[in-house]
Amino acid sequence: MKKIYILRYLASFFFANSVFFQPLSSQQFDGGGTYTYTINAGYSALVTIEAWGGGAGGGVGNGAKGGGGGGAYASSTTTLTAGSYTITVGAGGTNSGTNGGNSSFTTIVIAEGGFSTTTGTGGAGGTTAGSTGTTKIAGAVGANSSGNNGGAGGTGAN
């Protein structure tokens, strides 16, 4: 389960090296979902936003299946002004055929979730092409199955 914190950083979106003219409240977001963050009128913040996409579900069923792909990473530094911002935390895939969800901070940063598999081949990691931001790193591919053993899930980018 992903946890998201706001305390000089937001959600799975960390605000590193931030200079704030308004103290941020301490909040925590757990799991996948959509949230709204508001900066009051008259305030702005220079922030670095980091996001990780959700990992995908591995294959299940008769015979060994591959592991799900890990979520991608994306980040950008920007100035936020007064207003409301939509934060989406991508949920992890819970079963075969369920991709990980994208995590995003409006359209400024999007980290693509990993891809599931229904075969013995591991699912693909979230891609840089499916992500937006100044820095983008693809998620790892899930491991292939081996004999009667299922493959491990791919690691998220970091």
Side-chain angles (χ1 to χ4, degrees):
M1 175 179 289
K2 295 274 186 193
K3 290 190 178 184
I4 302 174
Y5 299 93
I6 296 181
L7 180 60
R8 290 211 186 262
Y9 40 94
L10 286 180
S12 252
F13 312 90
F14 293 110
F15 291 157
N17 302 320
S18 299
V19 178
F20 284 96
F21 302 102
Q22 171 191 18
L24 292 177
S25 60
S26 177
Q27 296 178 339
Q28 176 178 317
F29 301 101
D30 291 327
T34 302
Y35 308 93
T36 300
Y37 183 74
T38 302
I39 295 179
N40 294 331
Y43 294 98
S44 65
L46 176 64
V47 297
T48 297
I49 303 166
E50 297 181 278
W52 291 263
V60 296
N62 294 331
K65 305 292 188 209
Y73 165 87
S75 70
S76 285
T77 299
T78 189
T79 299
L80 299 179
T81 57
S84 294
Y85 298 89
T86 301
I87 301 167
T88 301
V89 180
T94 56
N95 56 36
S96 180
T98 305
N99 294 335
N102 293 351
S103 293
S104 63
F105 186 90
T106 66
T107 58
I108 298 169
V109 172
I110 300 170
E112 184 175 54
F115 294 91
S116 186
T117 183
T118 57
T119 70
T121 303
T127 67
T128 57
S131 302
T132 60
T134 305
T135 302
K136 301 178 282 187
I137 302 171
V141 174
N144 295 337
S145 63
S146 173
N148 292 324
N149 299 313
T155 60
N158 51 16

